[in-house]
Each structure stands twice: as structure tokens, then as C-alpha cells.
């Protein structure tokens, strides 16, 4: 409990911590291959476009599979869905580690994406349903796990990648196996009340104007996110450890703003107002990366500053989606995530193609333009998002107040 009697964000049931730990490991998988992209390209004689497809196959399957995860989890239960997802990640990460060609890794990363989809969409709904302190506190905890995973992933990838490009994949196998055991043992409680969800539920959900506008906003925003994450290792020109340290700083910046800064901003401003300020700032940061792409130190600064802005956007967007409709959270999360991951899937190979055709600055200009389209989409849809702004004080204000109390 905090000093004013409110439940602390950090005092949660064991099953919440088990899922949160598994989330950290799952999100490590996003940035884990980042530091080893140049090494994979060299070792397996692959082009940058081919190596960027390691992101594309993973994110494309993750996005498409999100459309059926709520249907699956509503029938077999959240715990079984989480465990199935974790098991698939273990299997396909091991196959990636044992692969001898980039095409094989691309295919196995697709299987990894299927496991990721089953896990991520169910994990968010599980944490929101089981956490103490309301949905705002639960989302802050989820975003903390996301930020920590995204920060540790590139660092671990860089350290293990110095030994071999296979090292990071073996690392995921071990950590995901631990996460599997943690969820298996600790995720216990009263029997789940399963309410079967129709297979068409995510498609129907996207007819809701509020959710549709947020999903399209996230699609174009994610293009900016993944150009910064997936393309930047190439113009940086660092080794695996240097890339890992750079994106560790990026991930730490993302974690700090997602957990502490975003809730404080939403206490004082409407959610849509926060996003309509942060998105143009992100576009400017991407343009700065384009201008200074030949100066490694300046590009590192742009990457870390981008992390600060991305952390705010991630938290505020997730909160908005969870509160935008009266739909079950698993359905809303699946529908929204399916669309946003498609943007992430398209960005890396497009960035690599633009790089080879027009030079290193152009992918960042493309990313900045995409973020501005996200800004315009949000501005156009703001009237449909009045409910998101109206309820802000009920959920996130409480979570932010608890966080401030904890910090004090």
C-alpha cells in the first residue's frame, strides 16, 4: 500500500508477476536480433533486405495471428493459450539457432511470431484482469515489462552476438523455458469463466470508429517505430555489442517514459492531446536522424531521444485502446494489434530497399512521413475518441498518483 492507502502498482499477486516476467522475455525477442543483423548478413551471405525480413516474417505472422487469438483463448483458457505461445517460441527460437541459412531463419521467425501473438494479446488481458489497482495500474505494469524487455533484448543480443550470431537465439530458448515454468506454476486462481468469442469478433471490432482510428494511427506510428529499431543498426556501423548498447539506452529511455512520464502527462492533459504533441516530435526526431545519419554519435542521440517519445506513445495508445470501447479487452487488443503489427512488418524491408535505392537518409524521411500520417489520422478521428479523453481521470490518474506515491 502507498502512504495514502491506495494499492501500489508494484504490489501484485504472484500470477501477475509470472505473466509480467514472461512479457519481459517475450518483448526481448523483438529487439534481440537487432545487434546481430549485420553479423547474420555477413555469416550467411544475406542482403540487408533479406535480413530485415527476420522482422517482417515475425511481425506479419504476429499481426495476422492476433485476429484469432481471442477466439482461441476464449475456448481453451488464458493459461493454456499463454503456455502454448511460450512453447512455440521456445521451439522456433531453437530452430533459428540451429539454422544454416537466412531463409530458414526467416521461416522459423514466422513460427516464433505465431507463439508471440498467442502470448502477447492474452498476457495483456490477463494482467489487466488480475492486477491490483485497476486497469490503469495494470497497463503501466505491462508497459514496464515491455520497456524492460525491449531494453534488455538488444543488450543481451549484443553480448551473446559477440560470441556467435546463434547465441541470442539460444538465450531466448533458456529464458522462455523459465517463463513457461513460471506461468505453469504461478498462474493459479479460481477457475476461469470462459465466454466463447466469435471468430469474426476482431473484424467486427474494427468497425467501431474509435478502435479503427486508433488502429490506423498505430499502423503508421509503428512504421516509424520499426524503421528506428530495425534499420538503424546498418547506418550506425557498430559491432554487435555497440549496437546492443545503443539500443539498450533506447530501451531504457522507452521504459522510463512509459512507466513514469506518460502517466504524469495524462494526469494533466487529454490522451489525444498528448499523442498529438508527441507524434510530431517523433517525426522531427526521425528527420534529425536523416540529417545526421552519417555521424554515429548524433544518430545514437536521435535513437535514444526516439525511445523517450516512443515510451509515451506506447503507454497512451495502449490505455486508449483498452478504454475506447465496451468490447472485451482480449478482443480489442487482438483487433488493434493485428493492424499495428502489419505496419511494423512492412517497415524494415521497405527501409532497406529505400536505403539501397536513394541513400541512408531516405528511410528516416519515409518513417517521419508515416508518423505524420498517424498524426493526421488521430486528428481526424479525435471526435470519435471523446470517450477516451473523458474517462482519463478515472483510470490513469489513479495509476499515476500511485506511481508518484511509490517514488516518494
Amino acid at each position: 500500500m502507498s502512504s495514502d492507502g491506495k494499492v501500489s502498482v508494484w504490489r501484485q499477486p504472484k500470477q501477475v508477476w509470472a505473466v509480467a516476467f514472461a512479457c519481459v522475455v517475450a518483448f526481448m525477442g523483438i529487439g534481440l536480433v537487432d545487434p546481430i543483423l549485420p553479423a547474420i548478413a555477413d555469416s550467411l551471405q544475406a542482403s540487408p533486405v533479406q535480413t530485415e525480413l527476420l522482422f517482417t516474417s515475425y511481425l506479419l505472422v504476429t499481426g495476422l495471428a492476433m485476429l484469432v487469438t481471442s477466439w482461441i483463448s476464449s475456448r481453451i483458457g488464458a493459461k493454456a493459450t499463454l503456455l502454448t505461445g511460450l512453447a512455440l517460441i521456445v521451439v522456433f527460437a531453437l530452430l533459428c539457432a540451429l539454422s544454416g541459412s537466412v531463409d530458414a531463419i526467416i521461416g522459423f521467425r514466422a513460427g516464433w511470431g505465431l507463439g508471440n501473438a498467442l502470448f502477447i494479446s492474452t498476457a495483456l488481458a490477463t494482467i489487466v484482469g488480475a492486477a491490483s489497482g485497476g486497469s490503469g495500474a495494470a497497463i503501466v505494469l505491462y508497459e514496464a515489462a515491455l520497456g524492460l524487455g525491449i531494453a534488455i533484448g538488444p543488450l543481451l543480443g549484443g553480448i551473446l552476438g559477440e560470441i556467435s550470431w546463434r547465441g541470442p537465439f539460444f538465450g531466448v530458448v533458456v529464458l522462455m523455458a523459465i517463463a513457461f515454468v513460471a506461468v505453469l506454476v504461478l498462474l493459479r486462481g479460481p477457475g476461469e469463466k470462459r465466454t466463447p468469442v466469435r471468430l469474426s469478433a476482431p473484424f467486427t471490432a474494427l468497425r467501431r470508429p474509435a478502435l479503427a482510428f486508433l488502429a490506423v494511427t498505430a499502423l503508421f506510428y509503428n512504421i516509424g517505430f520499426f524503421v528506428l529499431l530495425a534499420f538503424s543498426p546498418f547506418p550506425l556501423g557498430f559491432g554487435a555489442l555497440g549496437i546492443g548498447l545503443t539500443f539498450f539506452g533506447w530501451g531504457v529511455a522507452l521504459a522510463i517514459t512509459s512507466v513514469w512520464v506518460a502517466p504524469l502527462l495524462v494526469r494533466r492533459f487529454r490522451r489525444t492531446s498528448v499523442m498529438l504533441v508527441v507524434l510530431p516530435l517523433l517525426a522531427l526526431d526521425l528527420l534529425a536522424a536523416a540529417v545526421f545519419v552519417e555521424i554515429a554519435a548524433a544518430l545514437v542521440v536521435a535513437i535514444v531521444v526516439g525511445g523517450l517519445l516512443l515510451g509515451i506513445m506506447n503507454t497512451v495508445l495502449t490505455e486508449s485502446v483498452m478504454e475506447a470501447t465496451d468490447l472485451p479487452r482480449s478482443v480489442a487488443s487482438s483487433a488493434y494489434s493485428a493492424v499495428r503489427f502489419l505496419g511494423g512488418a512492412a517497415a524494415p524491408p521497405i527501409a532497406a530497399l529505400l536505403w539501397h535505392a536513394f541513400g541512408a537518409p531516405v528511410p528516416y524521411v519515409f518513417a517521419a512521413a508515416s508518423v505524420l500520417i498517424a498524426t493526421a489520422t488521430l486528428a481526424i478521428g479525435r471526435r470519435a475518441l471523446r470517450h477516451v479523453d473523458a474517462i482519463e481521470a478515472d483510470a490513469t490518474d489513479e495509476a499515476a498518483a500511485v506511481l508518484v506515491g511509490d517514488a516518494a
Side-chain angles (χ1 to χ4, degrees):
M1 300 281 285
S2 61
S3 59
D4 59 1
K6 292 181 179 178
V7 178
S8 169
V9 171
W10 311 113
R11 293 181 184 271
Q12 300 291 349
K14 288 187 295 184
Q15 60 264 36
V16 172
W17 286 116
V19 178
F21 169 72
C23 284
V24 171
V25 183
F27 287 119
M28 284 170 56
I30 295 177
L32 190 84
V33 300
D34 219 35
I36 57 173
L37 289 176
I40 289 176
D42 289 341
S43 299
L44 300 179
Q45 288 79 52
S47 70
V49 174
Q50 283 180 302
T51 51
E52 294 287 32
L53 288 175
L54 297 179
F55 279 100
T56 297
S57 63
Y58 170 81
L59 293 170
L60 179 63
V61 173
T62 295
L64 294 176
M66 285 284 186
L67 295 171
V68 299
T69 53
S70 57
W71 179 81
I72 293 171
S73 64
S74 70
R75 283 161 173 78
I76 68 174
K79 183 174 181 177
T81 307
L82 291 170
L83 291 174
T84 301
L86 289 169
L88 285 172
I89 294 172
V90 169
V91 170
F92 284 105
L94 180 60
L95 290 172
C96 286
L98 299 175
S99 295
S101 72
V102 71
D103 290 336
I105 300 175
I106 291 169
F108 292 138
R109 281 280 285 179
W112 188 336
L114 174 60
N116 202 50
L118 289 170
F119 177 79
I120 287 178
S121 64
T122 311
L124 177 56
T126 301
I127 288 178
V128 170
S132 304
S135 64
I139 290 168
V140 166
L141 187 62
Y142 177 80
E143 291 297 333
L146 184 153
L148 189 60
I150 282 182
I152 295 173
L155 182 61
L156 182 64
I159 293 171
L160 296 177
E162 285 290 312
I163 302 169
S164 167
W165 65 262
R166 301 178 191 273
F169 294 119
F170 282 119
V172 168
V173 172
V174 173
L175 289 171
M176 273 302 185
I178 295 171
F180 182 93
V181 174
V183 171
L184 180 65
V185 173
L186 297 177
L187 190 57
R188 293 177 178 174
E192 294 179 62
K193 182 181 178 181
R194 298 177 194 168
T195 304
V197 171
R198 291 187 175 186
L199 191 59
S200 61
F203 300 96
T204 304
L206 290 171
R207 296 178 186 171
R208 302 284 186 99
L211 193 60
F213 276 114
L214 289 172
V216 174
T217 297
L219 185 150
F220 287 101
Y221 157 70
N222 257 29
I223 290 175
F225 185 110
F226 279 98
V227 167
L228 196 65
L229 174 65
F231 169 68
S232 296
F234 290 100
L236 274 174
F238 296 162
L241 185 58
I243 296 170
L245 289 170
T246 298
F247 280 94
F248 174 70
W250 172 82
V252 169
L254 187 150
I256 289 171
T257 53
S258 65
V259 175
W260 284 287
V261 178
L264 292 175
L265 288 174
V266 177
R267 286 183 70 191
R268 292 164 174 79
F269 307 102
R270 297 171 185 262
R271 287 191 179 111
T272 53
S273 297
V274 172
M275 291 189 285
L276 286 170
V277 170
V278 173
L279 283 169
L281 290 176
L282 178 59
L284 288 174
D285 181 66
L286 288 164
L287 289 174
V291 172
F292 299 107
V293 70
E294 301 293 339
I295 305 172
L299 185 55
V300 168
V301 171
I303 289 168
V304 174
V305 170
L308 294 171
L309 298 170
L310 295 170
I312 296 171
M313 277 300 302
N314 282 354
T315 295
V316 179
L317 258 177
T318 302
E319 289 177 352
S320 299
V321 169
M322 291 294 100
E323 305 294 351
T325 69
D326 57 357
L327 294 166
R329 287 189 170 94
S330 61
V331 174
S333 174
S334 297
Y336 159 79
S337 297
V339 177
R340 73 184 176 105
F341 276 117
L342 294 180
I350 292 175
L353 288 169
L354 290 173
W355 175 33
H356 282 286
F358 305 106
V362 176
Y364 292 111
V365 175
F366 162 68
S370 297
V371 171
L372 290 177
I373 293 173
T375 309
T377 302
L378 187 64
I380 293 168
R382 196 173 188 183
R383 290 186 63 183
L385 297 170
R386 284 176 295 182
H387 180 61
V388 170
D389 286 329
I391 62 167
E392 155 270 313
D394 296 330
T396 308
D397 189 45
E398 180 180 348
V402 173
L403 277 170
V404 173
D406 290 345

